[in-house]
Amino acid sequence: MDSHLERQQIRWNPRPRTRPGLHLKTEKLPFQRPLIAGTQFAATALMVAERIDLKALSGFEVIATSPFTVKLGQGGIAAVFRYGAIVLFNASKEEKARLLQALAAHASGPGDAGAEETAQVQVRPDEEEGPAGSCIKIKNADRLRLQLIAEVMAKASMLSFRERRAARDFDRIEPLARDLAEDGRFSAKPAELLKAAGNMLLAENRLNGRAGVLDRPDLLWDNPGLSGLYARLEGDFELHDRAQALDRKLTTLSHTSETLVETMRYHSSHRLEQAIFLLIFVELCLGLYGHFGQTIG
């Protein structure tokens, strides 16, 4: 009983936080300092190549590496992705031109100017974060939020790039399928058929292997508080639905390419069988001619 009363009389006075760093507010931490001072700025995603060597960015001030984010010099920010996409924030024409010039010598494969995604980013500390029409509202233009927007817009641009490629592949495959349906023959040369089949298989491999459209960005594992913003952005840009639709198209193209190759092989083997049969027939005729010629002589 006495011990119970003694426990009730205990009074705890917390010690002041004298250890360095414990008294700092989270707003002052480096990853939450705004990288862009304005309250509204443009964000643009471009597909400049099929692959980018990040060594091209050695002349820029690096902000982060996943994704690779650099300062452009006059207030602009750029995120660069290995699969050929770049995302520009508050970048002037001069900054954009300088970045593209630096990447030109370290990029491989053609890009696509039509695969562009644009948005206006608005800094609204008192409003809910996420897309609102053609704008994206965020509470602070810090590194993590800009990187998250860059991840989503780069994937959307890459999907547009692959969708346009798939549409061109369908346009190329349609005449071949029509020829095969009408008279059972191809008007294209075997080399052209193999090239078309290779492009289809390569497109499917690049979608599944390089960009990881449906993968969560790595920064979300250490910053789960941004998951809501990412989910709203992913839904607004329809990444999941577009990736599934594109995957179905690429699967169809892959099956079509396999059918074309097998049909070409069948025609080649059929022609080879005809050539062998013709050679055997000619050899038989020559043998009979020689036999009967000697008999008559």
Side-chain angles (χ1 to χ4, degrees), residues 82-118:
R82 294 184 184 275
Y83 55 83
I86 63 171
V87 182
L88 305 171
F89 295 100
N90 195 39
S92 64
K93 293 182 179 180
E94 293 77 13
E95 291 174 330
K96 177 182 176 182
R98 180 194 170 203
L99 178 64
L100 293 179
Q101 184 178 4
L103 295 176
H106 297 79
S108 60
D112 188 350
E116 178 179 319
E117 299 287 340
T118 59

Side-chain angles (χ1 to χ4, degrees), residues 97-173:
R98 180 194 170 203
L99 178 64
L100 293 179
Q101 184 178 4
L103 295 176
H106 297 79
S108 60
D112 188 350
E116 178 179 319
E117 299 287 340
T118 59
Q120 287 291 323
V121 180
Q122 296 180 350
V123 181
R124 299 290 186 268
D126 299 328
E127 299 184 18
E128 183 181 12
E129 294 187 302
S134 60
C135 299
I136 299 175
K137 295 182 179 181
I138 55 177
K139 293 184 179 298
N140 186 20
D142 58 35
R143 173 178 64 84
L144 291 177
R145 286 176 171 83
L146 294 183
Q147 283 185 296
L148 198 64
I149 294 173
E151 287 269 7
V152 174
M153 294 187 66
K155 291 178 179 179
S157 180
M158 188 277 303
L159 285 173
S160 298
F161 178 60
R162 296 301 170 197
E163 287 166 352
R164 292 164 62 86
R165 283 285 184 90
R168 288 199 294 266
D169 288 336
F170 271 111
D171 292 339
R172 293 172 183 171
I173 214 72

Side-chain angles (χ1 to χ4, degrees), residues 190-210:
E192 295 177 354
L193 291 176
L194 291 176
K195 185 177 179 181
N199 287 333
M200 297 172 199
L201 295 175
L202 188 59
E204 184 177 16
N205 178 67
R206 284 171 176 165
L207 176 68
N208 295 330
R210 284 193 182 173

Side-chain angles (χ1 to χ4, degrees), residues 2 38 47-48 50 55 62 96 120 128 148 213 227 266-267 272-273 295 297:
D2 294 338
M47 285 296 299
V48 298
E50 292 185 357
K55 295 178 181 178
V62 178
K96 177 182 176 182
Q120 287 291 323
E128 183 181 12
L148 198 64
V213 178
S227 297
Y266 169 77
H267 282 284
L272 181 60
E273 291 174 357
T295 304

Side-chain angles (χ1 to χ4, degrees), residues 178-197:
R178 188 183 301 113
D179 292 343
L180 190 61
E182 290 178 354
D183 54 11
R185 298 180 180 179
F186 292 119
S187 59
K189 298 179 180 179
E192 295 177 354
L193 291 176
L194 291 176
K195 185 177 179 181

